[in-house]
Amino acid sequence: MKSMYVPIFKGEGRLEYETRPIPQPTAPDDVLVKIEACGICGTDLNILAVPAAHKATPNIIIGHEGVGLVEAVAPGVTGLQPGDRVVIANRLTCGQCHYCRRGLDNQCTNYKTIGTTIDGAFAPYLCAPQRALFKIDDQVPRDEAVFFEPLSCVVGSVVRAPMQAADNVVILGAGPMGMLFAMLYQTLGAGRVIMVDLAPFRLDFAQKIGVTAALNPTEVDLSQAVQELSGLGADIVVDAVGNQLPTAIKLARRGGHVILFGLRLYDNPAVNQYTITRYDLTLHGTFVGLNPFAQTIQLLESRRLHPSKLTTHRLPLTELAQGVELMRSGQGLKVIIEN
Ligand SMILES: [Zn+2]
Ligand SMILES: [Zn+2]
């Protein structure tokens, strides 16, 4: 049997390379994918933090932002064939819990996740059931397709707050996810897109993708700056950090919407509830999106937005740890591991 040399998550932030057999399609709906590239996600940084900020099963291969070519299919696979380019929808929901049965798949209480609880895509090959894979047109470059999973979370989040043409949007947090929000709002026809972050590198990057303004709250009075740029305050504020609700409600206009996207398990920001009530604000907690996958494929295939602009580094599989460090230290924005 052929083998592959892969980084294995050993717990406590450790990655060790091992030789493992190339997985083979065994279940009737299994698909073997030859992975072309896999993005490093904030979730991977959390898995590899000490102590871990996101749980993963030791002894698995992590990585879920993969793109690849179908190598082989089991006899029960109908919609895919060898040679097809596919991307991964990494959460395998159970289909049977109360939430799945109510159509709230993203709240499944019994899911598995490729790259967290079962083997993922920081590897030359991945075997996954066909329902986890979405075919994407060959015309979409590998380096754009690799953004499918993070972009799907953003597509699934944005849909929750009603948006009108030329609405003004503020995004708190200019990491890769905040940037994807900015790109999507630009594509959707937002008026002004204003990004907020503390890191000069990220603010420069935001300028490069053409946002209206990139603001550092240690240098400007944020409320005043947003007021001046938007007239009334933001129609929509996105918290892509996870603890920015107090700031978000200050920046939203009366009747505005706040999208809560970032996840910070241990933070408990104090919020002025009066502001939310008095100014008729609507808050939306959003988590990974409710089946945004087909729409995200269409968006990437439309070539209307180009997330590959966010990639700062491309590294081989043997340098996964260095890639994680580049993102963690803020020297890199998005790092892609390529095979
Ligand atoms: Zn991800
Ligand atoms: Zn379920």
Side-chain angles (χ1 to χ4, degrees):
M1 190 181 283
K2 284 200 290 179
S3 61
M4 58 185 188
Y5 188 60
V6 283
I8 304 293
F9 172 62
K10 292 289 182 182
E12 298 296 312
R14 280 184 304 129
L15 285 172
E16 283 174 21
Y17 284 77
E18 289 179 6
T19 301
R20 292 243 173 137
I22 292 174
Q24 296 300 318
T26 45
D29 62 343
D30 269 352
V31 177
L32 180 65
V33 181
K34 189 174 197 304
I35 299 293
E36 298 173 285
C38 182
I40 299 178
C41 180
T43 301
D44 300 317
L45 304 193
N46 288 336
I47 289 171
L48 293 169
V50 182
H54 190 101
K55 243 171 115 178
T57 309
N59 281 313
I60 64 152
I61 299 165
I62 61 170
H64 59 271
E65 298 184 358
V67 53
L69 299 173
V70 173
E71 177 97 352
V73 297
V77 173
T78 49
L80 293 170
Q81 51 189 20
D84 285 344
R85 175 169 274 165
V86 289
V87 288
I88 303 165
N90 59 318
R91 286 161 57 88
L92 296 167
T93 55
C94 76
Q96 297 185 21
C97 70
H98 288 291
Y99 290 105
C100 280
R101 288 189 162 197
R102 292 186 70 152
L104 294 168
D105 306 43
N106 61 336
Q107 294 301 334
C108 174
T109 50
N110 193 26
Y111 62 93
K112 292 179 190 159
T113 310
I114 292 171
T116 306
T117 58
I118 54 176
D119 277 345
F122 288 133
Y125 291 92
L126 168 77
C127 188
Q130 75 167 329
R131 68 191 161 97
L133 302 170
F134 282 77
K135 188 175 167 180
I136 189 162
D137 196 289
D138 291 334
Q139 302 300 312
V140 181
R142 176 202 79 170
D143 286 7
E144 303 282 357
V146 77
F147 281 87
F148 166 75
E149 188 274 339
L151 185 60
S152 77
C153 294
V154 171
V155 167
S157 181
V158 158
V159 73
R160 298 282 297 278
M163 186 199 163
Q164 305 293 320
D167 267 356
N168 295 316
V169 181
V170 171
I171 298 155
L172 303 170
M177 301 310 293
M179 298 285 189
L180 287 175
F181 271 99
M183 286 179 163
L184 184 54
Y185 276 117
Q186 286 170 328
T187 307
L188 290 170
R192 293 176 174 81
V193 176
I194 300 161
M195 294 208 76
V196 179
D197 204 289
L198 297 169
F201 170 74
R202 289 179 165 195
L203 293 169
D204 287 348
F205 221 104
Q207 299 279 13
K208 271 189 237 159
I209 65 164
V211 299
T212 312
L215 305 176
N216 185 336
T218 63
E219 289 170 2
V220 296
D221 179 325
L222 207 51
S223 298
Q224 197 187 328
V226 169
Q227 196 75 28
E228 278 166 17
L229 286 159
S230 63
L232 293 170
D235 298 290
I236 296 171
V237 183
V238 177
D239 174 9
V241 179
N243 55 12
Q244 297 295 303
L245 182 55
T247 304
I249 62 176
K250 272 188 224 155
L251 302 180
R253 69 157 165 82
R254 297 178 182 217
H257 290 256
V258 174
I259 292 181
L260 302 174
F261 179 83
L263 290 164
R264 293 274 181 120
L265 181 57
Y266 301 110
D267 291 0
N268 294 292
V271 171
N272 181 249
Q273 187 173 332
Y274 171 87
T275 306
I276 301 169
T277 309
R278 176 63 183 83
Y279 300 127
D280 253 333
L281 303 183
T282 306
L283 312 185
H284 307 269
T286 69
F287 178 66
V288 303
L290 188 56
N291 292 312
F293 308 115
Q295 214 183 337
T296 306
I297 295 285
Q298 275 180 266
L299 181 61
L300 285 166
E301 289 182 348
S302 76
R303 308 299 315 282
R304 293 283 307 281
L305 102 186
H306 299 285
S308 65
K309 286 180 191 165
L310 305 178
T311 302
T312 51
H313 300 78
R314 292 176 184 80
L315 299 174
L317 186 56
T318 47
E319 290 176 28
L320 175 58
Q322 289 89 326
V324 167
E325 203 37 54
L326 281 166
M327 281 178 62
R328 189 172 277 151
S329 64
Q331 295 170 72
L333 190 68
K334 191 71 174 180
V335 180
I336 304 299
I337 298 297
E338 49 188 9
N339 286 322

